[in-house]
């Protein structure tokens, strides 16, 4: 899979859509770890998510995770159903 790397501030320029396969349940533990990594150690996480223009990748700090979304610094929200892959 090829994705376009963007800056966190560019996310608002794209329409985020659900991924072909909803991996919310299987990614939740990784996303909770990403929150801890960001909040306690100031570490960044690489997140690939689906947009209307194709997969996008961003390296950022995850501030929180809820039942349906993740929140990044600056109040940026990405729905869990749109996330394709998480890596550290």
């Amino acid at each position: 899979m090829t994705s376009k790397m963007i800056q966190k501030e560019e996310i608002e320029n794209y329409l985020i859509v659900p991924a072909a396969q909803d991996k919310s349940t299987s990614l939740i533990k990784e996303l909770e770890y990403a929150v801890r990594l960001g909040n306690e150690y100031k570490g960044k996480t690489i997140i690939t998510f689906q947009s209307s223009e194709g997969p996008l990748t961003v390296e950022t700090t995850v501030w929180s995770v809820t039942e349906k979304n993740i929140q990044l610094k600056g109040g940026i929200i990405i729905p869990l159903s749109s996330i394709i892959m998480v890596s550290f």
Side-chain angles (χ1 to χ4, degrees):
M1 170 189 65
T2 351
S3 65
K4 177 181 175 184
M5 181 69 106
I6 62 168
Q7 297 297 314
K8 171 185 56 84
E9 295 78 16
E10 296 177 68
I11 293 174
E12 63 188 25
N13 298 330
Y14 295 91
L15 175 63
I16 300 173
V17 298
Q21 181 182 7
D22 185 349
K23 298 181 179 179
S24 302
T25 310
S26 61
L27 291 175
I28 199 75
K29 291 224 184 283
E30 289 179 64
L31 292 167
E32 287 170 348
Y33 175 76
V35 170
R36 186 170 178 209
L37 180 66
N39 292 333
E40 294 181 25
Y41 303 103
K42 308 301 180 216
K44 296 192 177 202
T45 302
I46 300 168
I47 299 168
T48 302
F49 61 95
Q50 188 65 42
S51 79
S52 60
E53 297 180 29
L56 301 173
T57 299
V58 64
E59 184 175 8
T60 187
T61 303
V62 179
W63 280 46
S64 67
V65 61
T66 67
E67 200 174 291
K68 297 190 183 265
N69 303 298
I70 59 169
Q71 181 177 5
L72 311 179
K73 186 176 181 182
I76 297 168
I77 305 290
I78 299 177
L80 294 181
S81 61
S82 300
I83 298 175
I84 299 168
M85 185 175 66
V86 176
S87 56
F88 307 98

